[in-house]
Amino acid sequence: MIFEKICVLGLGYIGLPTASTFATHGMHVVGVDVNQQILETLRNGGLHIHEPGLRTVVEAAIQSGNLSVSDRPEESDAFIIAVPTPFYGDKNGEYDGKSYKLADMRAVTSAANSIVPVLRKGNLVVLESTSPPRTTLGLVAPILERSGLKAGVDFHLAYSPERVLPGQILRELIENARVIGGITTQAAQAGRDLYATFVKGEIILTDATTAEMVKLMENTYRDINIAIANEFSRLSERFGVDVWEAISIANRHPRVKILNPGPGVGGHCISVDPWFLVESAPELSQLIYMARKVNDNQPQFVLELVKKALGDLKGKKIAALGLAYKPDVDDLRESPAVEVVRMLQEAGAIVKAYEPFKPDANLPGINIVKDLKNVLLDANGIVLLVNHHKLCTLSPQEIASLTGTRILIDTVNGWGSGEFEAAGFRLFKLGVN
Ligand code: SAJ
């Protein structure tokens, strides 16, 4: 199939890089978003998200004349839905006395609805948003069929999960293997023709529900592996073992690759997607459920560690370094670091937070300070919550020159080389007694 014009619905972390990359590879692309502010920012040459290399690609896409933005889709050869699928904050499901989170599919529903008036015979529609199994067939197809056209007969429908790592999106978009699950073989092949525009990695064709499962399995696998690392950190503290040393030794086994413990699992993928499986079959997802619980409880263990270092937190001044959900990104969504700050405050501490990637972030109830010096100045203790390169390369001398405190709490093994202790600091590390 030949594609000349496509619409990409949703201009977030996945949609914008995808739309821009198609455009720089010669496709006419209409980027669609319901948020007027995002459209305005893009029209004025700005960017609403931070991702290395994104500015260059977006600028090139716009300058080429191939990328325009709009608040609604237009007639096109293909439509890609890349809208968020978070979970509901205010309602849960329940199974066997355990409560689980429910996927909020409203953005997918409304994106699919917006395609209906412009859907034509022979078009391809691809859902990229992470979704519970059978969403493509059970939710998207019936909506699109309101056009009077039949899915798999009059138009192609496929699911192709985004699998790029925030921080490396532009490279991974092109180089990663791409899974395309069609509701028919022809739909999968049409998807391959579309993504072959820029994908250099292998393109693997399958059916839509398998592709949905693949995506959920990948992130659930990672969540469970982080959960075991977090549980190992708790056990190591109990037994007087340094978990970081133990992991590095265990990982010399040729078939062992334990991940890193930390303050918890954040972001909009790994801390969310496993719930889509639990929701779909809670009676079959007990391990997945437990891993989610272990990771969600991890901020509590960080709180305990800070109390161990500083005693009663009432009135204590704490400098919290890093608020993003993981190193070297500006994304604060579902961040365990933010959760830790809130818990410290609830325990009575006065926290100043520092996020070098988003110094102007505005989080209700959290005092984010732009200047590191001001954050550290009068602190009673410093908590390292994210292993940002900029933070873990701060030297003991730099820190000592900015503050009187010598108490450090390191939740990510960022300051683990022994130089801080040698410089007279007391270092409390997660997973070390
Ligand atoms: N984390 C740990 N310990 C580790 C690794 C990660 O605590 O050893 C934490 C991070 O700090 C972060 C969270 O886990 O809070 C998730 O970070 P991540 O880097 O593992 O993953 P994401 O959410 O940024 O991206 C994941 C990727 N999925 C997999 O690696 C299987 C990415 O490829 C997906 O495209 C993305 O989810 C997505 O959009 O689904």
Side-chain angles (χ1 to χ4, degrees), residues 162-166 215 218-219 222 226 259-260 264-266 269-270 273 325-326:
E162 58 81 9
R163 296 150 91 212
V164 289
L165 195 69
K215 169 70 193 185
E218 289 167 354
N219 280 355
R222 194 157 168 84
I226 299 169
L259 294 176
N260 293 318
V265 169
C269 311
I270 297 198
D273 301 356
Y325 85 94
K326 70 171 188 176

Side-chain angles (χ1 to χ4, degrees), residues 321 372-373 376-379 382 394-408 415 419-420 422-425:
L321 303 192
L372 181 63
K373 187 174 176 188
L376 296 182
L377 195 63
D378 54 354
I382 302 168
L394 283 169
S395 70
Q397 292 70 30
E398 266 171 287
I399 295 187
S401 73
L402 298 175
T403 180
T405 185
R406 293 292 175 266
I407 298 182
L408 304 178
W415 292 330
E419 52 174 350
F420 280 92
F425 282 89

Side-chain angles (χ1 to χ4, degrees), residues 225-237 243 261 290-291 294-295 298:
N225 279 286
I226 299 169
I228 194 71
N230 283 332
E231 220 162 68
F232 286 153
S233 79
R234 300 171 191 178
L235 291 164
S236 296
E237 276 183 32
V243 75
M290 275 317 297
V294 167
N295 287 335
Q298 195 67 358

Side-chain angles (χ1 to χ4, degrees), residues 26 61 254 350 390:
I350 303 155
K390 269 187 190 161

